[in-house]
Amino acid sequence: MDGNVRIIIKNVINMGLIDVCHGVVKEGKEAIVYHGESTSSSSPTTSSTSSSKEELTMWRNTQEEELRKDITLDVAIKVFKRISEFKTRGKYVDGDARYHGQKFNRENKRDQVELWAEKEYRNLLRANKAGVPVPTPLLQRENVLFMRFLGEDGWPSPQLREIDIKKGSKKWITLYGQIMIAVRRLYHCARLVHGDLSEYNILICPSILVENGIYSRQSSSNNEETEDAESLLQIVLIDFGQAVEIGHPASFDLLRRDLSMVNAFFKRQGVRTLEEDEAEAFVLREHDGVDHDDDDDEEEDEKKEDWEDKKEEKIEMEEKTVAPMIEVVSAIDADSTIAASSSIKEDGPEHIDTKETTELAASTAKCRDEESVEPAEESLLSDQDNEDEEDDDGAKETKKKKSTWRNIIHSWDDDKDLEMLMDMLRAKKNKKSSN
């Protein structure tokens, strides 16, 4: 642990997020994970900076209710190594819209590591908000990431490859279903693709330790209490640094690779899995009963076209109404001019009624100006009303789009996805038996 990391951890201890940092619990080629410990009864100090207070408020809000009692809270402290390994990770950042215009390979080694840590933190926040089973993100400082520790007594939860289950057991089928549902939820609710999903990046831990616990969510939806929750195990997806948005140019290829790795592992465990194209169809299938952005765009285009048609019709009506009035005024103006010129010829300049001619000309000009100005003002007012209505519609559409993501998350039903997955597996089994 270098001096800069020590300072970061010391500052976090002073903030009150953790009380002590223990030793190393896991080490990989990219990062080292330490075990930190804290009691939720020891609230963070009030002398923190404003930014720290906001992050700590978010941390408190993301914790489960039982974690706010006088119990021990374990924290995983993930320290990313400053190595040249990250130079090859530019493809995961350069195509990400969140880092548009920022070339990863042009950054120095220090900035690359910090950017990678920030990216994993942001991905975890989004996935956690979307209800995907991931470690709860708490804080990120430079190349250090603080998360909820998944394990017991300082021992981390095992990876999927480390658990000992009999080959062909139904437990493998349960875990396969949980992973497929998590990948589907990650894609639609978080708009992310993991990008490096395998048996190495999936943990098996008690559901009670996971904020988005599968069994706790099922029990809350059924208004039932889950008994012996500590004994119920579930999967948790980890290592989100390389996760990309679904709009990333390589997102589909990364999704296919993830599903291929998952299928290959479970096939080795004797599980009948979906084929790669079937797995892709399962993940990509739209969620029933939810409005998507494409539908919103179509509705907005239709409203815009209707508004433009109505505006053109109104302009045509105004032209038809104003045109006869202008002709009448022009005729009056022409008659007055003729009459004035005739009087000049007949009587001479000394017989011209200057006052009468001036009044007639002024009256004609006023009439012409009124007829030309009033429709224009009416048109401007109408346009303003239409613009206000369009602004209101635009605000409603924007608000609707912002709430679409939230609606998808709240309306998402894992039970329906599990039922759909089981139907696909049964159909595949029946097709194979009939052949």
Side-chain angles (χ1 to χ4, degrees), residues 163-175:
I163 61 175
D164 186 15
I165 300 177
K166 183 180 178 181
K167 189 174 182 179
S169 173
K170 291 183 178 180
K171 293 181 180 180
W172 286 119
I173 301 177
T174 301
L175 295 176

Side-chain angles (χ1 to χ4, degrees), residues 93-333:
V93 179
D94 294 342
D96 196 319
R98 295 171 294 179
Y99 300 95
H100 177 69
Q102 189 171 2
K103 296 297 182 181
F104 186 78
N105 292 332
R106 294 180 183 176
E107 304 289 339
N108 58 50
K109 185 185 297 185
R110 183 185 184 90
D111 292 339
Q112 284 180 349
V113 178
E114 294 179 5
L115 184 61
W116 194 259
E118 177 195 333
K119 187 169 184 285
E120 176 159 358
Y121 178 65
R122 294 177 67 176
N123 288 337
L124 283 173
L125 282 175
R126 182 185 288 195
N128 186 64
K129 183 180 179 180
V132 181
V134 297
T136 303
L138 304 177
L139 191 67
Q140 181 256 329
R141 283 287 184 268
E142 296 184 11
N143 64 319
V144 184
L145 177 60
F146 298 86
M147 303 173 289
R148 170 77 186 274
F149 181 82
L150 300 178
E152 296 178 347
D153 300 327
W155 293 93
S157 297
Q159 297 171 334
L160 180 63
R161 66 185 180 89
E162 296 174 335
I163 61 175
D164 186 15
I165 300 177
K166 183 180 178 181
K167 189 174 182 179
S169 173
K170 291 183 178 180
K171 293 181 180 180
W172 286 119
I173 301 177
T174 301
L175 295 176
Y176 174 71
Q178 290 181 4
I179 294 172
M180 293 298 295
I181 291 172
V183 172
R184 175 169 161 78
R185 178 182 276 267
L186 180 69
Y187 186 90
H188 290 278
C189 297
R191 304 288 186 178
L192 291 174
V193 174
H194 188 279
D196 190 24
L197 193 62
S198 67
E199 61 271 24
Y200 291 86
N201 293 331
I202 301 174
L203 299 183
I204 306 298
C205 68
S207 181
I208 195 174
L209 297 179
V210 187
E211 182 179 352
N212 296 314
I214 296 175
Y215 297 103
S216 61
R217 186 160 54 217
Q218 291 176 350
S219 60
S220 61
S221 62
N222 297 329
N223 296 323
E224 298 176 355
E225 294 185 0
T226 304
E227 298 180 358
D228 197 16
E230 295 183 0
S231 63
L232 297 175
L233 300 178
Q234 71 164 75
I235 59 96
V236 178
L237 309 184
I238 62 172
D239 291 345
F240 273 77
Q242 72 290 322
V244 299
E245 291 185 321
I246 60 175
H248 191 280
S251 62
F252 185 70
D253 293 334
L254 294 174
L255 176 63
R256 295 186 66 179
R257 187 177 70 180
D258 287 349
L259 296 175
S260 177
M261 295 293 290
V262 171
N263 284 352
F265 173 79
F266 280 97
K267 283 180 179 179
R268 294 196 298 268
Q269 311 308 320
V271 177
R272 181 181 289 105
T273 65
L274 298 175
E275 298 299 330
E276 291 188 8
D277 56 341
E278 295 174 336
E280 293 170 12
F282 171 77
V283 173
L284 299 177
R285 180 176 177 180
E286 294 291 349
H287 187 262
D288 297 334
V290 177
D291 294 332
H292 294 279
D293 292 343
D294 294 339
D295 298 333
D296 294 340
D297 293 338
E298 291 178 1
E299 292 177 3
E300 187 176 0
D301 292 339
E302 290 177 0
K303 286 185 177 181
K304 187 175 181 181
E305 291 177 359
D306 293 340
W307 180 82
E308 290 178 350
D309 293 340
K310 290 180 181 179
K311 186 175 180 180
E312 291 178 358
E313 292 177 0
K314 191 158 190 173
I315 292 173
E316 291 178 358
M317 291 294 294
E318 289 174 353
E319 291 177 351
K320 291 179 180 179
T321 305
V322 173
M325 299 177 68
I326 293 176
E327 291 178 359
V328 172
V329 173
S330 300
I332 295 174
D333 193 9

Side-chain angles (χ1 to χ4, degrees), residues 19-34:
D19 294 330
V20 62
C21 177
H22 297 299
V24 177
V25 294
K26 205 81 175 178
E27 182 174 4
K29 60 182 180 180
E30 297 179 357
I32 303 175
V33 180
Y34 296 87

Side-chain angles (χ1 to χ4, degrees), residues 343-400:
S343 62
I344 292 173
K345 290 179 181 179
E346 294 176 359
D347 302 330
E350 63 275 7
H351 294 96
I352 298 175
D353 190 349
T354 308
K355 184 177 180 180
E356 183 178 355
T357 305
T358 304
E359 290 178 355
L360 180 60
S363 176
T364 304
K366 183 178 179 181
C367 182
R368 181 183 301 169
D369 292 340
E370 288 178 354
E371 296 299 333
S372 60
V373 170
E374 286 181 0
E377 290 179 352
E378 182 182 356
S379 178
L380 289 174
L381 292 174
S382 301
D383 291 345
Q384 184 65 36
D385 293 339
N386 289 332
E387 288 178 1
D388 292 340
E389 291 178 2
E390 185 182 18
D391 291 340
D392 293 339
D393 293 339
K396 292 178 181 178
E397 289 294 326
T398 303
K399 185 176 181 181
K400 184 178 179 181

